[in-house]
Amino acid sequence: DAGITQSPRHKVTETGTPVTLRCHQTENHRYMYWYRQDPGHGLRLIHYSYGVKDTDKGEVSDGYSVSRSKTEDFLLTLESATSSQTSVYFCAIRSDRRQETQYFGPGTRLLVL
Amino acid sequence: KQEVTQIPAALSVPEGENLVLNCSFTDSAIYNLQWFRQDPGKGLTSLLLIQSSQREQTSGRLNASLDKSSGRSTLYIAASQPGDSATYLCAIALSNFGNEKLTFGTGTRLTIIP
């Protein structure tokens, strides 16, 4: 299995509070991604990173920010959580080899009350 | 915008049967197509990756095909087993200067009946 972990694995928070999810990899891969998974929508890309301090928006980036200060860590922050951000969040990593698949973490289940 | 559809959303078949899962996409300008498996409460595991220049890929009892002109891919599972029960997702990769972003279908939940 690819060395990728997510923390926390489960979190309950209240509307309006900030939340930070962490993705940590031990593979030294260049690309890192944050997705959310919701019933009926599949996985949707929130943000991605193509190197340290290099990030860009995905399909559903509103209300989220990211940071990558080290190769191994990619943080997803919900500045002010809303109930619509209740979801399962997955991190994925990929090397810079062409035609390489993405490797997924175990997910973080977030409930915003 | 690329749209990926998987029908049916759920499928139940008796153990031992061969089965086919379907994936369709709207834009044929793809970089590759990937099939993933997701077990309940877990992350995704890559099964097969078909490059845009390829027609199929095989791994054990799994065979994935790609027809870009018709915007379709199929995942064939031979001699199904209860352990094959999971949700199967297909994803299209578009390449942009090496960054291969994925667009996912909503998946087919497969149940193999012992």
Side-chain angles (χ1 to χ4, degrees):
Chain A
D1 290 346
I4 177 169
T5 57
Q6 293 184 233
S7 59
R9 294 293 314 279
H10 303 272
K11 186 171 183 66
V12 180
T13 190
E14 294 186 349
T15 297
T17 61
V19 176
T20 296
L21 308 183
R22 180 186 185 227
C23 177
H24 179 78
Q25 62 149 328
T26 58
E27 306 295 324
N28 200 37
H29 282 350
R30 176 182 178 186
Y31 295 98
M32 300 186 74
Y33 306 83
W34 276 108
Y35 295 89
R36 60 179 289 174
Q37 185 175 35
D38 304 288
H41 290 280
L43 277 86
R44 292 178 291 174
L45 182 65
I46 305 171
H47 281 281
Y48 63 95
S49 170
Y50 47 97
V52 173
K53 298 192 189 308
D54 292 324
T55 64
D56 205 349
K57 296 178 180 180
E59 178 186 358
V60 289
S61 60
D62 288 347
Y64 302 94
S65 63
V66 291
S67 66
R68 190 171 179 198
S69 59
K70 299 184 290 184
T71 297
E72 57 266 35
D73 288 326
F74 191 32
L75 303 181
L76 177 71
T77 297
L78 290 65
E79 303 289 349
S80 177
T82 67
S83 59
S84 65
Q85 293 177 312
T86 291
S87 187
V88 181
Y89 292 85
F90 288 99
C91 176
I93 62 176
R94 188 179 69 82
S95 74
D96 57 4
R97 290 198 304 269
R98 293 171 66 84
Q99 302 287 4
E100 179 64 58
T101 191
Q102 294 183 15
Y103 298 93
F104 283 77
T108 293
R109 191 171 295 273
L110 176 67
L111 175 61
V112 183
L113 300 175
Chain B
K1 178 187 172 186
Q2 179 73 268
E3 293 186 3
V4 183
T5 303
Q6 293 183 251
I7 296 173
L11 180 66
S12 294
V13 299
E15 180 179 0
E17 285 198 1
N18 304 324
L19 61 98
V20 174
L21 304 180
N22 297 298
C23 173
S24 61
F25 49 94
T26 55
D27 187 345
S28 62
I30 68 172
Y31 190 60
N32 63 50
L33 183 145
Q34 302 180 35
W35 282 93
F36 291 87
R37 168 187 173 135
Q38 184 177 29
D39 293 292
K42 301 291 179 66
L44 280 68
T45 300
S46 178
L47 296 173
L48 290 165
L49 183 153
I50 310 176
Q51 299 179 28
S52 62
S53 59
Q54 298 175 325
R55 292 297 297 251
E56 65 178 335
Q57 280 287 340
T58 297
S59 176
R61 295 183 294 109
L62 305 180
N63 175 276
S65 68
L66 174 63
D67 184 344
K68 286 196 306 177
S69 62
S70 65
R72 298 170 67 92
S73 175
T74 61
L75 179 66
Y76 174 83
I77 301 178
S80 59
Q81 304 171 357
D84 295 330
S85 296
T87 296
Y88 291 80
L89 299 106
C90 71
I92 301 294
L94 302 177
S95 180
N96 181 16
F97 300 103
N99 180 30
E100 299 166 15
K101 292 189 288 185
L102 295 178
T103 300
F104 283 85
T106 51
T108 294
R109 187 173 68 253
L110 176 65
T111 301
I112 305 300
I113 305 166

